[in-house]
Amino acid sequence: ERMKRFRRHGQESQRERIKQELYGFNKTVEHGFPHQPSALGFSPSLQLLAIGTRSGAIKLYGGPGVEFMGLHDENAAVTQVHFLPHQVELVTLLDDNSLHMWTLRAHHGVSELLEIGHTLHTTTTPQLLSYPFSNFLFSFPHTLALIGLPCVPEEYGGRRSLEHVESLQENPVNPLQVLIGYGRGLMVIWDLDSQSAVKHIPATQQLESVWWMEDGGHVLSSHSDGSYCRWKVAGDDPQSEQEKSEVPYGHFPCKAISKIIHGGMPRASYGDRHCISVIHSKTHVALDFTSRIIDFFVIRDGPDHTGDPSALVVLVEEELVVIDLQTEGWPVIQTPYLVPLHCSAITCSHHVSAIPLKLWERVLSAGPWPMTGGQNLAPDPPQRDLLLTGHEDGTVRFWDASGVCLYPMYKLSTAGVFLTDSDPNDNLNQGTEGEWPPFRKVGCFDPYSDDPRLGIQKIHLCKYSGYLTVAGTAGQILVLELNDEAAEQTVEATVADLLQGQEGFRWKGHTRLEVREEPVTFPPGFQPFALVQCQPPAVVTALTLHSEWKLVTFGTSHGFGLYDYQQKNNVLVRCTLNPSDQLAMEGPLSRVKSIKKSLRQSFRRIRRSRVSLRKHHVNNAAKLQQANARLEAELAEMELAPVQRKIEPRSPDDSFTGLVRTLYFADTFLSDSSHNTPSLWAGTNGGSVFAYQLRLPPVERRGEDPVTAHPAKEIQLMHRAPVVGILVLDGHGSPLPEPLEVAHDLARSPDMQGSHSLLVISEEQFKVFTLPKVSAKMKLKLTAIDGSRVRRVGVAWFGSTRTDDYGESGLTVLTNQGDLHVVSLPGVKLQVQYPCIRREDVSGIASCVFTKHGQGFYLISPSEFERFSLSARCVVEPRSLVEVSSQTPSTTLPRAPPDGASVDRLHSLLHSEPQPSHCTFHDDHPNSLQLMSIIIVYLWSDVCFLTAVLQEIQKSLEVDQT
């Protein structure tokens, strides 16, 4: 007995070691466009782009694959981001009045983004208003007069008339001069050395923005009336002269130019547009963006980044747009990352691993990219992977998901097949020839679908044959093939009547989409050649393609069908509708209930509930509470978090018991143990499994001898839990290979000598049956253990980190609690469990898709996928190094380590009362690295506080100088 216990303990220890070599959970990278961006920054020296969000995230991007992410502890919006020039540090300002400093610190040869300090929790609302060139400036604007500022024109006398400090600009050729711009219009050039004003720029219009031109001799100012002015500031005259004043769009009432070359649109006609005007010589374009402009910057040529403009980078609320300023016509550059996944709302996803090179090259497209910062140290991807996303507007987008960058490869639109409700005159943004201003629409974000029936619900791609099938919201199933040339053709629909003549049912939902009768020209790429239309036109809930057999099977809430796309005819139509289920006849666009909640509706809830609660918008608090209350009520209705500890039998009268959840093809033993045969398996929401034996004549003879399907088996799970997965295991206990996988030498032939097993995965348990007898063999009860239900399941191969010769197949499982599990095959034993998604995150759980190698994706916002890995071996994550260039500009002074005592004293002052109202920090002094400044130009409302700070600075300077 003692020996048995010892042996068992040794086996368990060995199994634990193997599990550590196979499994490991990591959230690895976020793909897509940051949700609710709020600030933009750029470092010309590092060639890094930074984006801050309203949720407190800070994301850095360099060359493709160079990505970093940080998250502020404070739940506050990032309002501004600034890089310290020629350093690997950056500063962020949040709307809770706090400043944070970050650095890219090298560790084991890879850079990490780390927060190294924060300060300045003021009682006022600070705003970083600088646009630094070689120094770092910031201000806390209040209505205050300048200290020691003589010769202020009489019309600007007094504190109140100056208004707040609107802008700070440093002289690009003389870092000791700072331009201070006030809201009233007055601009003052302040000399940091003499602590005095050297020039006044007496603008009279309300100031919005200033730009000190690269020659240092001229300043551009933009104003609230849509005008901009050029001022000469070189020379000894203390009063600057206005050289040029222009209103780009005539003398109509105009919107304010909030940043120079931004804005200026006539209010009456174009008040709802978001524009940046680009003017060069006689070329004049008003770039019309898809959403509100957050910020923009220009990338310049040359080693010191002061040459000709090469690209315009614009951050808007829903996407990042980059304009090539060196190519005629100023085209948009295709971005390798930060692509708006939600151009149209994502409705489904499909992942395909190990794409053959031939198919890859036929789909791939590429483009230049001006951001080059950092070194991508991640190893080359071991294989080519595709992520396909279906969208509400009827498009399918192909993404290169092999590495860190989720790169757009190709877009397919299915709308051309159908007559839709769209009106060609709806788009008011399309400019006409000779129109003034000369609008040009840029960006791809378009949340408005021409017809919600076009929405893609299911996708299946065969990577070996190049056949693709997509299914939609109105019961449409398209079969497409890859063609390298454009083709004109008509797509005829084959109707599949899933009610099979049952009486007493009347469809109350949306109508089917009408197919175009005239030929349609399809561009090169995937082109539709066959169409099945389900009646009633309900959402397609399951879809599977078998390209070797030339068959497609599909299911809805009413039944399932089998279609021969070679002969374009139905092989099988089976009604699964429960006679008492009237709700299944109402359609998802007419009633929101249980399973019919679409991802699109979940996204709308997210948008409503994530309203930014700003301190000066008190009424938003009530709106946010209402949105959260609605969300909680809907979650309770959907029963996403059951509390039962045992499996409860479900009534056969429950709604949607006939809804088809999963479809599966298998070549296995269905009638007897000596003859294998093609088969089709279907699982429903009511715990039923239907198996059909298929007779497949050769493809060339199917015209005379059609494919047939005969009922073979039917299983009813005791507790009627929804069937979410079906899998056949061969004689070795391995999952059957995919169609054509063996033919392409990418999988071994299945073992047809030993007996096969059938694995039926319901929401509540994993149950193994023997074939062909279908007798219960073993099971794993998930719900009985922790009250969870299976929401997503996939088959994956887990390779060992210790040796390339060992690996195991397993089931990857996501529950309604947001937990991830790995279940071993063929023994169906629980191996590991990891928390991953918040259980309240309905959209995240519903959007999850697994890969064949233990990774996965789910939506953390309408525009972002979180990528994760359950495999210890297969991990795709950023590995980047960012270093400061060895070339340092002449305007940058050598740095010395700061005096710790002085830093601490100043730190304590900044946290004491009374708090500062105004300050500007200058970053060119040797003792400035960790402080971000020690020369304070202006201003505190409390003179005693200002005096104390100046004394500490003086002590610090004396220490450093000695």
Side-chain angles (χ1 to χ4, degrees):
E1 181 67 27
R2 188 182 308 166
M3 182 64 71
K4 287 182 180 178
R5 285 201 303 268
F6 178 78
R7 187 186 308 120
R8 187 162 55 245
H9 176 72
Q11 290 172 346
E12 290 174 356
S13 300
Q14 182 181 5
R15 182 60 193 166
E16 287 301 316
R17 286 195 298 271
I18 293 175
K19 284 164 64 173
Q20 291 177 8
E21 294 166 4
L22 296 175
Y23 313 118
F25 176 68
N26 289 287
K27 291 185 179 180
T28 54
V29 63
E30 293 179 2
H31 297 299
F33 182 76
H35 185 56
Q36 295 183 329
S38 54
L40 177 69
F42 177 63
S43 170
S45 58
L46 299 178
Q47 282 287 291
L48 290 182
L49 165 78
I51 294 178
T53 73
R54 284 158 65 179
S55 62
I58 177 75
K59 300 188 176 186
L60 273 57
Y61 303 89
V66 178
E67 298 185 12
F68 303 93
M69 178 183 171
L71 188 65
H72 295 85
D73 292 335
E74 294 78 4
N75 185 19
V78 181
T79 57
Q80 292 204 30
V81 181
H82 292 278
F83 285 90
L84 271 64
H86 311 289
Q87 301 296 321
V88 291
E89 284 89 23
L90 63 150
V91 176
T92 56
L93 173 70
L94 308 188
D95 69 353
D96 66 352
N97 309 344
S98 62
L99 278 169
H100 301 254
M101 190 165 187
W102 300 79
T103 187
L104 286 166
R105 183 172 296 165
H107 181 66
H108 296 307
V110 178
S111 296
E112 299 174 342
L113 181 62
L114 302 172
E115 184 178 359
I116 56 174
H118 63 275
T119 186
L120 292 179
H121 294 275
T122 67
T123 55
T124 60
T125 303
Q127 296 178 24
L128 273 157
L129 293 169
S130 65
Y131 193 90
F133 288 90
S134 62
N135 299 323
F136 187 75
L137 310 167
F138 58 88
S139 164
F140 293 80
H142 262 249
T143 307
L144 294 171
L146 286 171
I147 290 180
L149 182 59
C151 306
V152 175
E154 292 183 3
E155 61 268 28
Y156 291 102
R159 280 185 169 194
R160 296 187 181 276
S161 59
L162 283 176
E163 297 189 5
H164 59 275
V165 175
E166 187 64 51
S167 188
L168 297 171
Q169 284 286 300
E170 178 187 313
N171 188 334
V173 298
N174 182 2
L176 294 177
Q177 287 188 349
V178 178
L179 177 69
I180 307 166
Y182 286 86
R184 172 79 180 273
L186 172 67
M187 290 171 281
V188 176
I189 297 179
W190 182 266
D191 186 84
L192 298 174
D193 195 20
S194 65
Q195 293 290 293
S196 62
V198 295
K199 283 188 185 296
H200 304 112
I201 305 175
T204 56
Q205 288 292 332
Q206 181 175 328
L207 185 69
E208 295 287 332
S209 169
V210 299
W211 183 274
W212 205 324
M213 298 178 69
E214 287 73 10
D215 61 3
H218 296 84
V219 166
L220 287 177
S221 62
S222 68
H223 303 276
S224 61
D225 63 348
S227 66
Y228 69 90
C229 302
R230 174 176 166 142
W231 306 84
K232 183 178 180 181
V233 295
D236 298 328
D237 189 351
Q239 194 79 6
S240 297
E241 299 177 1
Q242 178 178 308
E243 279 195 346
K244 181 181 180 183
S245 178
E246 285 195 8
V247 180
Y249 298 106
H251 297 285
F252 302 102
C254 287
K255 293 171 72 174
I257 302 179
S258 58
K259 187 170 180 177
I260 190 65
I261 72 171
H262 165 206
M265 302 311 305
R267 278 199 188 97
S269 304
Y270 309 109
D272 60 340
R273 293 184 186 249
H274 313 283
C275 296
I276 290 180
S277 300
V278 183
I279 305 170
H280 176 65
S281 185
K282 294 184 179 180
T283 306
H284 186 148
V285 174
L287 300 173
D288 186 5
F289 293 89
T290 58
S291 52
R292 185 175 64 89
I293 296 167
I294 305 295
D295 204 352
F296 67 93
F297 61 83
V298 172
I299 298 177
R300 297 176 178 274
D301 285 337
D304 55 354
H305 311 289
T306 59
D308 293 336
S310 61
L312 171 66
V313 181
V314 185
L315 176 66
V316 298
E317 275 192 324
E318 303 293 350
E319 59 186 312
L320 184 84
V321 180
V322 181
I323 309 294
D324 183 351
L325 298 178
Q326 293 185 326
T327 302
E328 186 176 357
W330 296 339
V332 173
I333 299 174
Q334 174 67 66
T335 59
Y337 48 72
L338 288 170
V339 182
L341 305 174
H342 64 318
C343 290
S344 172
I346 295 176
T347 47
C348 67
S349 301
H350 176 67
H351 188 274
V352 188
S353 298
I355 302 295
L357 181 60
K358 184 177 179 181
L359 174 62
W360 189 264
E361 290 176 341
R362 294 175 70 186
V363 174
L364 185 62
S365 61
W369 185 240
M371 231 77 63
T372 58
Q375 306 171 46
N376 181 9
L377 303 180
D380 291 336
Q383 60 192 22
R384 294 172 293 273
D385 290 354
L386 273 178
L387 180 68
L388 281 67
T389 53
H391 299 262
E392 192 183 41
D393 62 357
T395 59
V396 178
R397 296 166 195 262
F398 289 61
W399 309 88
D400 178 355
S402 312
V404 171
C405 292
L406 195 65
Y407 187 81
M409 297 176 66
Y410 166 70
K411 182 179 80 169
L412 160 70
S413 177
T414 64
V417 177
F418 306 100
L419 295 168
T420 64
D421 296 338
S422 64
D423 183 343
N425 297 319
D426 281 348
N427 193 349
L428 302 178
N429 286 323
Q430 295 300 323
T432 58
E433 188 175 350
E435 179 186 17
W436 185 258
F439 286 117
R440 182 177 139 211
K441 187 166 171 98
V442 290
C444 62
F445 176 71
D446 184 8
Y448 306 106
S449 174
D450 291 338
D451 191 326
R453 297 175 297 175
L454 289 169
I456 305 297
Q457 298 294 332
K458 295 292 176 181
I459 304 170
H460 195 126
L461 170 68
C462 175
K463 62 188 178 184
Y464 306 110
S465 65
Y467 283 109
L468 169 71
T469 180
V470 297
T473 302
Q476 71 273 27
I477 299 103
L478 281 167
V479 187
L480 308 95
E481 60 183 339
L482 196 56
N483 190 346
D484 295 333
E485 298 180 357
E488 185 179 68
Q489 59 197 46
T490 302
V491 184
E492 296 181 3
T494 300
V495 176
D497 181 9
L498 293 174
L499 290 183
Q500 290 291 283
Q502 291 200 30
E503 297 181 358
F505 291 103
R506 184 173 63 87
W507 175 249
K508 302 174 185 178
H510 50 269
T511 59
R512 58 179 279 185
L513 285 161
E514 295 299 322
V515 181
R516 293 183 186 272
E517 297 180 357
E518 70 278 6
V520 178
T521 300
F522 297 102
F526 284 95
Q527 299 170 348
F529 68 91
L531 168 62
V532 181
Q533 178 60 59
C534 296
Q535 285 293 98
V539 170
V540 176
T541 56
L543 182 71
T544 300
L545 168 74
H546 200 300
S547 55
E548 190 173 1
W549 299 345
K550 300 292 189 289
L551 297 177
V552 166
T553 178
F554 52 89
T556 72
S557 53
H558 307 125
F560 61 92
L562 180 63
Y563 177 73
D564 180 347
Y565 62 79
Q566 181 75 22
Q567 293 298 314
K568 299 184 180 178
N569 65 274
N570 290 323
V571 175
L572 164 71
V573 177
R574 168 73 184 257
C575 179
T576 57
L577 185 66
N578 188 309
S580 65
D581 190 3
Q582 288 291 334
L583 285 178
M585 303 303 295
E586 297 193 2
L589 301 182
S590 61
R591 182 181 175 92
V592 177
K593 178 72 175 177
S594 188
I595 193 66
K596 296 192 296 184
K597 290 178 181 292
S598 67
L599 275 177
R600 173 63 167 165
Q601 290 155 335
S602 298
F603 292 158
R604 285 172 178 152
R605 286 201 304 272
I606 287 179
R607 292 187 183 115
R608 288 199 303 265
S609 64
R610 290 187 179 179
V611 175
S612 177
L613 185 60
R614 305 302 292 269
K615 296 172 178 60
H616 53 279
H617 287 157
V618 180
N619 61 334
N620 278 356
K623 294 179 183 177
L624 186 59
Q625 290 174 355
Q626 293 172 5
N628 286 332
R630 283 197 301 270
L631 180 59
E632 290 171 2
E634 288 170 336
L635 290 177
E637 177 191 350
M638 292 181 70
E639 295 184 324
L640 287 173
V643 296
Q644 72 269 23
R645 293 296 171 183
K646 62 180 180 178
I647 299 176
E648 299 289 349
R650 306 192 189 196
S651 168
D653 297 329
D654 284 353
S655 296
F656 303 104
T657 55
L659 185 145
V660 179
R661 292 286 290 271
T662 185
L663 292 162
Y664 179 70
F665 287 111
D667 187 357
T668 187
F669 301 95
L670 200 56
S671 57
D672 60 71
S673 57
S674 57
H675 297 90
N676 57 295
T677 179
S679 62
L680 168 65
W681 301 76
T684 74
N685 219 39
S688 297
V689 177
F690 304 98
Y692 282 78
Q693 183 173 320
L694 306 181
R695 179 178 166 273
L696 300 176
V699 173
E700 62 272 10
R701 288 176 40 208
R702 288 188 184 180
E704 301 82 28
D705 190 8
V707 178
T708 58
H710 306 281
K713 306 286 182 183
E714 187 169 330
I715 305 170
Q716 178 62 60
L717 298 180
M718 185 183 302
H719 296 95
R720 302 183 183 274
V723 178
V724 296
I726 296 173
L727 188 65
V728 171
L729 306 176
D730 70 5
H732 291 306
S734 299
L736 295 185
E738 295 181 12
L740 294 174
E741 193 172 16
V742 175
H744 285 75
D745 295 326
L746 292 173
R748 71 178 185 183
S749 297
D751 177 21
M752 308 303 283
Q753 302 301 316
S755 59
H756 285 194
S757 300
L758 172 70
L759 173 58
V760 177
I761 305 158
S762 74
E763 283 191 351
E764 298 175 347
Q765 65 180 359
F766 304 79
K767 196 164 187 178
V768 180
F769 300 87
T770 61
L771 286 176
K773 290 185 178 180
V774 192
S775 57
K777 186 177 180 181
M778 66 182 77
K779 61 186 174 183
L780 169 65
K781 296 181 179 181
L782 184 70
T783 302
I785 297 173
D786 61 4
S788 298
R789 293 180 182 171
V790 176
R791 280 287 180 259
R792 287 286 181 273
V793 65
V795 179
W797 175 259
F798 294 91
S800 171
T801 56
R802 183 175 56 87
T803 173
D804 293 340
D805 300 332
Y806 185 76
E808 295 180 4
S809 287
L811 295 175
T812 49
V813 180
L814 174 69
T815 73
N816 62 329
Q817 308 281 353
D819 294 333
L820 291 170
H821 301 258
V822 176
V823 176
S824 64
L825 292 175
V828 290
K829 296 185 185 304
L830 191 61
Q831 300 298 301
V832 288
Q833 175 180 350
Y834 306 102
C836 180
I837 310 175
R838 291 181 302 107
R839 68 182 186 181
E840 299 84 10
D841 187 356
V842 184
S843 297
I845 293 172
S847 65
C848 182
V849 58
F850 291 114
T851 80
K852 299 290 185 184
H853 293 86
Q855 297 187 72
F857 303 81
Y858 68 92
L859 290 170
I860 53 174
S861 75
S863 61
E864 295 169 287
F865 275 113
E866 176 75 66
R867 186 179 190 135
F868 62 86
S869 177
L870 286 163
S871 168
R873 178 171 168 181
C874 188
V875 179
V876 174
E877 60 185 345
R879 291 184 58 82
S880 313
L881 178 64
V882 174
E883 297 176 310
V884 181
S885 172
S886 58
Q887 294 181 345
T888 305
S890 58
T891 54
T892 303
L893 300 176
R895 295 182 179 275
D899 170 52
S902 297
V903 173
D904 291 341
R905 285 194 297 271
L906 186 55
H907 225 277
S908 62
L909 277 172
L910 293 176
H911 283 85
S912 63
E913 292 291 345
Q915 295 288 3
S917 303
H918 259 90
C919 66
T920 297
F921 282 2
H922 187 279
D923 187 43
D924 233 22
H925 191 274
N927 187 24
S928 60
L929 181 58
Q930 292 183 1
L931 276 175
M932 300 175 289
S933 152
I934 47 177
I935 300 179
I936 297 184
V937 182
Y938 67 94
L939 298 169
W940 273 272
S941 55
D942 190 293
V943 176
C944 296
F945 183 80
L946 175 62
T947 304
V949 172
L950 290 175
Q951 289 173 348
E952 290 302 326
I953 291 175
Q954 183 62 37
K955 292 176 183 177
S956 174
L957 291 175
E958 290 172 355
V959 169
D960 286 341
Q961 288 167 354
T962 56

